[in-house]
Amino acid sequence: MTPATGHLLEVTYFVAAVLFILSLKWLSSPVTARRGVWAGEVGMVLAVAGTLLHRGIVDYKWIAIGLVLGAIIGVPLGNVAMTAVPQRTALSHAFGALCVTLVGTAEFYLRAPDVPPFVMSVLSLEVILGGLTVTGSLMAAGKLQEILPQRPITFKGQNLVNLAMLAVAVAIAARLVMHPEQMFLYPFMVGIALVFGVMLIVPIGGADMPTVISLLNSYAGLSAAAMGFVLNNKLLIVAGALDGASGFILSVNMSKAMNRSFTNVLFGAFGQVQTAVAGGVETRTARSASAEEAAAILSAANKVVIVPGYGMAVAQAQHKVRELYDALTKRGIDVKFGIHPVAGRMPGHMNVLLAEADIPYDKLLDMEEVNPDFPQTDVALIIGANDVTNPAARTDTSSPIYGMPILDVDKARTVMVIKRSMSPGFAGIDNPLYYLDNNLMLFGDAKAFVGDIVKELSGGGAHG
Ligand code: NAP
């Protein structure tokens, strides 16, 4: 590599690193999120292009084959439905971590038995984190796609067994740092990390999977940063550290939004489908209403808060919701959206869908902003949300979601819930909201039902 090429490589890496940082910054608000995606993509293209200038490359043929294969796998992965993004993300982590583990393994066998202690330490960190992320992410994707059972599988002494496995892997790593010539130990270290990834996910229920995926994202980032030290690549260190830190912060924020501690998510076996308490809520009756009645109630309101949830995403009802928003605001009704931080199946899920339907950003209120408004709200219209509105989280100490902050929709004068049946949401628990006196169930598919309300509203009936 000539000095000029080396200089160009450094500049390219620097610009890519700046773009990655800006991308994360911009992704944190819906107003700048699109720009954030672009910055991340351009940064990644620069990182790949810069790396292709590297002096170590002896043959571009295999790189070209890799690029074609990657594109063949990546393009269909990029086209999955929005509701399948969590499992798609888990698969991306699995691929990334597999790459890190394979590169680490190749580096070990290329260098052994002369691996300096520092390199062996970071290389071990790289392949242990990488290995457990490969199998952990595959398990998480399988659970979310419902190929694997969602319920947590627990057994006595599970945490102890898991910790012992990790301790053995770390002990082997320490031995290899001191004696890299004992190459026979290496496959055991990677093997244990792979099994540990499976064991880590087995006790975690489906409802906690998005949080776990974000944590696995963090592990994948840290292993990539470790790989950066092994390969002496500064951009990998920066990008891996950004990935590791942002994944970690996201998992902490998601745990907070569910009022769960990290240890509780990882070891709590949450997400078991509960059967309703005998003699409890299921004996009570819920009142239902038609689209015509719902439209009449809405047109008599002054203040409406719409609460979207996972069902809106499943039904792809966001454009119909936009029509409803237009029909109501045209009548002079004040319409806002109450967004729970873990509504849907991934952070920002509702914001993305509502932005797609061009709902003004200033109408989307976070939970803390909208909750004080509910007592003055005439109608809280819930569209395919369930757990995030469950008042048991406030009142029932025996509920698995007790303590999770919720949207206080039950405090509105009238609550209307669009969903197809009385089935529970993702946490698998009954919702006492549906049996309250001020609640009406609007049974049907979210898109079709909202469409029917819009038809009723445009069919006549003046506001007030
Ligand atoms: P939810 O509790 O899963 O409830 C969604 C409801 O939508 C279901 O009760 C379902 O009832 C209804 N539904 C499904 N398809 C529908 C359709 N086509 N039309 C109308 N309704 C439909 O959803 P949520 O209130 O948004 O809560 C999110 C859950 O995911 C929480 O438990 C949260 O902790 C968990 N979670 C989310 C994240 C995240 O990042 N967003 C992360 C971790 C965990 P029917 O079957 O009766 O229609």
Side-chain angles (χ1 to χ4, degrees):
M1 187 163 53
T2 62
T5 322
H7 189 63
L8 182 64
L9 179 67
E10 291 290 317
V11 173
T12 314
Y13 275 2
F14 179 73
V15 176
V18 171
L19 283 172
F20 289 152
I21 294 168
L22 287 174
S23 168
L24 284 178
K25 166 94 191 97
W26 286 332
L27 279 171
S28 62
S29 157
V31 184
T32 50
R34 280 198 178 90
R35 204 191 308 158
V37 173
W38 274 106
E41 285 174 350
V42 174
M44 192 50 85
V45 169
L46 284 179
V48 172
T51 306
L52 290 177
L53 298 174
H54 209 278
R55 60 179 144 56
I57 295 174
V58 279
D59 187 354
Y60 283 97
K61 187 179 74 206
W62 288 107
I63 294 174
I65 293 175
L67 278 175
V68 171
L69 271 179
I72 291 174
I73 299 171
V75 170
L77 270 184
N79 288 327
V80 299
M82 181 120 43
T83 44
V85 166
Q87 47 268 50
R88 193 214 66 89
T89 310
L91 276 183
S92 305
H93 295 162
F95 286 134
L98 180 65
C99 162
V100 165
T101 312
L102 290 176
V103 170
T105 302
E107 281 292 316
F108 175 75
Y109 285 108
L110 280 175
R111 295 177 187 216
D114 302 316
V115 194
F118 174 74
V119 175
M120 193 61 231
S121 315
V122 280
L123 197 148
S124 304
L125 181 72
E126 172 190 338
V127 293
I128 291 177
L129 280 174
L132 71 89
T133 307
V134 174
T135 45
S137 302
L138 287 176
M139 288 284 293
K143 281 199 176 200
L144 281 167
Q145 191 62 32
E146 295 179 24
I147 301 169
L148 298 173
Q150 299 228 348
R151 85 196 145 74
I153 299 169
T154 49
F155 57 85
K156 214 165 163 249
Q158 191 164 26
N159 293 341
L160 215 67
V161 171
N162 288 358
L163 277 177
M165 278 174 67
L166 192 61
V168 173
V170 172
I172 296 178
R175 181 85 194 158
L176 278 169
V177 170
M178 288 180 292
H179 298 283
E181 72 282 359
Q182 295 182 344
M183 289 159 66
F184 70 95
L185 286 174
Y186 184 87
F188 289 101
M189 177 172 73
V190 178
I192 293 173
L194 290 170
V195 178
F196 181 77
V198 176
M199 300 298 283
L200 190 72
I201 303 303
V202 155
I204 303 175
D208 276 334
M209 232 15 94
T211 318
V212 171
I213 287 174
S214 163
L215 194 63
L216 289 168
N217 175 33
S218 175
Y219 294 162
L222 290 177
S223 62
M227 180 164 86
F229 282 105
V230 174
L231 299 179
N232 198 14
N233 183 315
K234 292 188 201 80
L235 184 61
L236 259 178
I237 299 173
V238 173
L242 286 173
D243 197 12
S246 56
F248 186 73
I249 294 169
L250 185 59
S251 345
V252 170
N253 285 350
M254 284 162 84
S255 298
K256 265 197 202 144
M258 295 188 286
N259 195 34
R260 314 273 313 285
S261 69
F262 240 167
T263 41
N264 187 252
V265 168
L266 293 181
F267 308 116
F270 178 79
Q272 261 158 332
V273 175
Q274 278 202 336
T275 45
V277 187
V281 277
E282 83 277 19
T283 54
R284 291 185 256 163
T285 48
R287 288 185 304 144
S288 67
S290 65
E292 194 185 345
E293 287 161 324
I297 293 170
L298 282 169
S299 47
N302 289 315
K303 210 167 147 68
V304 172
V305 175
I306 297 178
V307 173
Y310 176 64
M312 182 185 83
V314 176
Q316 286 293 295
Q318 62 274 21
H319 297 285
K320 283 284 164 213
V321 172
R322 165 78 212 214
E323 287 176 30
L324 177 65
Y325 167 82
D326 287 340
L328 293 174
T329 42
K330 219 160 67 188
R331 287 163 179 257
I333 301 168
D334 173 23
V335 185
K336 299 256 166 58
F337 290 80
I339 311 291
H340 192 282
V342 293
R345 289 293 179 270
M346 57 188 165
H349 200 169
M350 297 300 116
N351 300 68
V352 171
L353 291 174
L354 295 173
E356 184 195 316
D358 286 327
I359 307 267
Y361 297 132
D362 62 342
K363 299 290 173 195
L364 312 186
L365 302 187
D366 289 340
M367 179 172 61
E368 297 78 20
E369 282 176 279
V370 77
N371 266 348
D373 280 357
F374 279 115
Q376 297 91 48
T377 297
D378 298 307
V379 182
L381 178 64
I382 298 159
I383 304 178
N386 187 344
D387 295 340
V388 299
T389 63
N390 192 333
R394 275 199 322 255
T395 53
D396 181 359
T397 48
S398 66
S399 170
I401 61 163
Y402 179 70
M404 166 174 156
I406 55 151
L407 288 160
D408 296 330
V409 289
D410 53 322
K411 296 186 177 160
R413 273 174 214 121
T414 304
V415 188
M416 297 199 285
V417 183
I418 302 180
K419 71 199 290 291
R420 297 162 306 176
S421 66
M422 294 298 281
S423 306
F426 203 52
I429 52 175
D430 201 2
N431 192 340
L433 173 75
Y434 305 155
Y435 310 99
L436 295 179
D437 289 342
N438 62 342
N439 185 77
L440 286 171
M441 301 301 296
L442 308 178
F443 288 120
D445 171 74
K447 188 174 175 181
F449 208 107
V450 173
D452 288 347
I453 298 179
V454 172
K455 253 188 241 149
E456 291 293 337
L457 285 171
S458 47
H463 170 225

